[in-house]
Amino acid sequence: MENIASSQEACRKSHHPDSVKKDLTTRLNRIEGQIRGIKGMIEKDVYCDDVITQLSATQSALNSVAKLLLEGHVKGCVVDRLQTGDEAVVDELLVTIQKLMKK
C-alpha cells in the first residue's frame, strides 16, 4: 500500500499558469543572487549585523515564495482534490501549514 501512495505522490504535479511560473522563477533567481551575496559577505568578513540583515531579507523573500505557492495550492490542487472527494488533502494541507509555521 505504501508503494502505491509513494508512486501517486511522485506522479502528482502542480499546474501553475506561465505568468506564475515566471514570477516564482524571477523571485527564486533573485534569492539565489542574495545567497551568493551573503556567501561573499562571509568570505569578506563583513560585519555580522550586516550579514544577518541580508539573511533576514532573504528569509522574507523565501517566505513570499512559499505564500504564493500555498495560495496556488489551496485554490487549485486542494479545491480540485476536495471536489473529487479526496478529503485526505485537508490533513496534508494542515501538515504543510505546520511546516511553514515552524520557520
Side-chain angles (χ1 to χ4, degrees):
M1 190 62 95
E2 187 175 320
N3 289 338
I4 294 171
S6 296
S7 65
Q8 286 175 341
E9 287 179 20
C11 294
R12 293 190 306 186
K13 294 186 178 198
S14 57
H15 304 283
H16 301 289
D18 287 340
S19 61
V20 172
K21 285 183 190 179
K22 184 177 179 183
D23 181 34
L24 292 170
T25 301
T26 299
R27 288 170 184 259
L28 290 169
N29 286 338
R30 194 174 307 127
I31 291 165
E32 186 177 24
Q34 286 176 294
I35 296 293
R36 281 193 303 271
I38 292 167
K39 182 180 174 190
M41 292 172 79
I42 301 253
E43 291 168 350
K44 294 175 186 170
D45 294 321
V46 171
Y47 186 61
C48 296
D49 190 58
D50 295 336
V51 177
I52 291 167
T53 298
Q54 289 305 310
L55 284 167
S56 177
T58 303
Q59 185 63 57
S60 178
L62 280 170
N63 288 341
S64 292
V65 170
K67 287 176 193 174
L68 284 173
L69 284 169
L70 181 61
E71 179 183 350
H73 181 58
V74 170
K75 290 181 176 179
C77 302
V78 173
V79 169
D80 290 347
R81 286 178 60 189
L82 283 172
Q83 288 174 342
T84 65
D86 183 0
E87 294 185 16
V89 71
V90 174
D91 291 329
E92 178 186 281
L93 177 61
L94 291 173
V95 169
T96 299
I97 292 170
Q98 288 171 354
K99 287 177 187 175
L100 285 172
M101 292 178 73
K102 285 183 183 179
K103 298 178 180 348

